[in-house]
């Protein structure tokens, strides 16, 4: 049931037109259906297999893998209208279920990657979905409706809940048929899930009404107790619905289970990521070679901190660097041309990481802690063609790319959801 601009003159006569419109607007429901083949290209202007440049090594773009669209009732109230109570009334509904927009690690939307992803989702489905953090709990729960006939009504607000999974497109070297290499956008190893919702709708429906299948209105009708006992001789006003109450309790229980699971995962991750660096590292299989991770063509490179509460910064290499600018790649694996490694610092004995409390934060500072091989301490390394030392670095747990805001002595290395747009997330991996 759509909402009119004036909120006046609405009734059963308007329902027929609204139901017809709902059929035309309804998106087909798909259980983990693949997104359209152009989904990654619509918002990002890129797709797998397209050429990229060295400036793209430290960037990523979203690619939608699956989507599911489900009509969902967010607010509901059973209401009985008698002969003397027809006309315009304002009804306060009860919250049925709450939908919050989220991407990836936490219950909010941070950074350009999340916004780009949700925009891509909306474009691929032809829906106007929310692309910033919000929740249906912020929607007013009152509905003004013009009741033209007596009867048992369900007044509702609802939307299309959109969930799914995503991956990322990263720039990496790819070996071609003739044995040569080229830089191309490839599907990176990281992935995650998202939730958003489309435009809110409100309306009223009766047990006698014929409604479009798989519509928001049809979902509302299922919450009505349409037996004769529910409405026979009922006074005008609210009618408790056992079906609606059961559905609301089930939605709350599911939300509580999801929250408990997220809390447990966060606790486990926190326990596996100690807060301070230690000179005694875990038993890592590290390369014999040490490297500087330098800004291309510039003297500054990644320098590990001496103090535990400091972060990795751009520093010049001097005789006083005490190997804090030297890194070893440890427990290296390779999958489809993408390296995965732990970055161990020769100077302080710690491993590069994003601190767990800040894991989902845009611009969280890169730090070093005691080496535990937690996924927060694992990084994907995207490489230029052989003969070039240029790389891009991505945290395995967060999916964010490592970069810096500006070129300056003492500038922090940080994580950025999409990487740096100006190419400052591309570094040289130089053997020392």
């Amino acid at each position: 049931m759509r909402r009119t601009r004036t909120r006046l003159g609405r009734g059963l006569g308007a329902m027929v037109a609204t139901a017809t419109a709902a059929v035309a607007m309804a998106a087909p429901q798909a259980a983990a259906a693949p997104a359209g083949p152009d989904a990654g290209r619509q918002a990002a202007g890129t797709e797998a297999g397209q050429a990229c440049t060295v400036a793209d090594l430290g960037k990523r773009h979203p690619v939608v893998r699956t989507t599911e669209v489900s009509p969902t009732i967010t607010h509901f109230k059973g209401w009985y209208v008698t002969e003397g109570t027809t006309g315009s009334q304002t009804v306060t509904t009860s919250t049925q279920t709450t939908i919050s927009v989220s991407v990836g690690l936490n219950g909010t939307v941070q950074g350009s990657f999340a916004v780009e992803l949700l925009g891509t989702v909306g474009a691929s489905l032809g829906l106007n979905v929310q692309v910033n953090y919000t929740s249906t709990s912020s929607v007013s729960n009152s509905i003004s409706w013009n009741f033209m006939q007596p009867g048992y009504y369900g007044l509702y607000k609802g939307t299309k809940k959109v969930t799914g999974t995503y991956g990322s497109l990263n720039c990496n070297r790819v070996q071609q048929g003739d044995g040569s290499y080229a830089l191309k956008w490839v599907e990176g190893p990281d992935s995650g899930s998202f939730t958003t919702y489309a435009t809110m709708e409100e309306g009223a429906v009766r047990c006698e009404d014929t409604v479009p299948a798989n519509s928001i209105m049809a979902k509302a009708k299922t919450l009505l107790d349409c037996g004769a006992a529910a409405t026979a001789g009922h006074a005008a006003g609210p009618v408790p619905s056992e079906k609606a109450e059961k559905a609301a309790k089930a939605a709350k229980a599911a939300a509580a289970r999801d929250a408990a699971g997220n809390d447990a995962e966060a606790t486990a991750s926190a326990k596996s990521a100690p807060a301070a660096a230690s000179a005694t590292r875990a038993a890592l299989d590290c390369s014999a070679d040490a490297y500087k991770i330098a800004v291309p063509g510039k003297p500054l490179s990644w320098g590990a901190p001496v103090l535990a509460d400091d972060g990795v910064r751009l520093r010049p290499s001097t005789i006083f660097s005490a190997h804090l600018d030297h890194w070893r790649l440890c427990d290296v694996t390779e999958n489809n041309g993408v390296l995965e490694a732990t970055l161990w610092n020769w100077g302080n004995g710690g491993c590069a990481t994003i601190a767990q409390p800040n894991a989902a934060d845009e611009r969280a500072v890169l730090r070093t802690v005691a080496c535990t091989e937690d996924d927060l301490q694992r990084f994907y390394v995207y490489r230029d063609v052989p003969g070039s030392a240029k790389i891009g670095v991505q945290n395995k747990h967060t999916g964010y790319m490592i970069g810096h805001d500006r070129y300056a002595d003492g500038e922090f290395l940080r994580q950025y959801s999409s990487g740096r747009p100006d190419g400052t997330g591309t570094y040289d991996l130089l053997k020392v």
Side-chain angles (χ1 to χ4, degrees), residues 39-41 43-44 60-64 113 116-117 120 166-169 418:
R41 166 170 65 187
R60 69 169 179 159
H61 290 295
V63 57
V64 182
F113 182 86
E116 185 178 347
L117 167 67
T120 301
Y166 66 87
S168 70
L169 293 176
S418 297

Side-chain angles (χ1 to χ4, degrees), residues 245-400:
E245 291 174 359
K246 285 183 178 179
K249 288 179 181 179
K252 289 179 181 178
R257 287 194 299 271
D258 290 344
N262 292 339
D263 289 344
E265 182 179 353
T267 300
S269 181
K271 289 180 179 179
S272 64
S278 169
T280 304
R281 63 180 172 85
L284 301 176
D285 180 14
C286 297
S287 64
D289 295 324
Y291 298 88
K292 287 199 301 183
I293 306 175
V295 177
K298 304 284 188 178
L300 300 182
S301 62
W302 292 21
V306 176
L307 302 176
D309 59 352
D310 198 2
V312 180
R313 299 173 183 265
L314 292 180
R315 294 295 193 190
S317 294
T318 70
I319 59 174
F320 304 107
S321 295
H323 298 302
L324 291 169
D325 58 343
H326 291 172
W327 302 83
R328 283 197 169 105
L329 305 185
C330 305
D331 291 347
V332 179
T333 61
E334 182 174 349
N335 186 24
N336 292 328
V338 178
L339 296 183
E340 180 185 326
T342 297
L343 305 180
W344 177 74
N345 187 262
W346 187 357
N348 70 8
C351 287
T353 191
I354 299 295
Q356 191 278 329
N358 309 113
D361 293 348
E362 186 82 4
R363 301 182 72 255
V365 172
L366 186 67
R367 301 185 182 278
T368 56
V369 297
C371 300
T372 62
E373 292 257 75
D374 179 84
D375 278 353
L376 285 164
Q377 299 180 16
R378 298 289 285 173
F379 294 84
Y380 298 122
V381 179
Y382 299 94
R383 295 171 290 172
D384 195 4
V385 298
S388 168
K390 291 181 172 54
I391 62 167
V393 183
Q394 179 182 30
N395 185 267
K396 180 178 181 179
H397 182 71
T398 68
Y400 288 21

Side-chain angles (χ1 to χ4, degrees), residues 64 128 152 154 196 215 253 261 264 283 408 422:
V64 182
N128 182 22
Y152 175 42
T196 186
S215 64
D422 57 2

Side-chain angles (χ1 to χ4, degrees), residues 55-56 58-59 112 416 418-425:
D56 296 318
K59 301 176 186 178
S112 57
Y416 302 85
S418 297
R420 297 291 294 152
D422 57 2
T424 51

Side-chain angles (χ1 to χ4, degrees), residues 15-50:
M15 287 185 182
V16 176
T18 305
T20 303
V23 173
M25 294 171 60
Q29 185 174 6
D38 293 334
R41 166 170 65 187
Q42 286 171 324
T46 57
E47 62 178 326
Q50 284 186 335

Side-chain angles (χ1 to χ4, degrees), residues 46-52 169-170 174 183-187:
T46 57
E47 62 178 326
Q50 284 186 335
C52 53
L169 293 176
N170 292 79
V174 175
L183 283 179
K184 293 186 178 181
W185 291 105
V186 299
E187 279 213 42

Side-chain angles (χ1 to χ4, degrees), residues 211-245:
V211 298
N214 199 36
S215 64
I216 296 171
M217 192 187 304
K219 192 74 173 179
K221 186 178 177 181
T222 66
L223 300 181
L224 286 171
D225 288 327
C226 291
T231 56
H234 202 287
V239 180
S241 170
E242 184 177 349
K243 290 183 178 179
E245 291 174 359

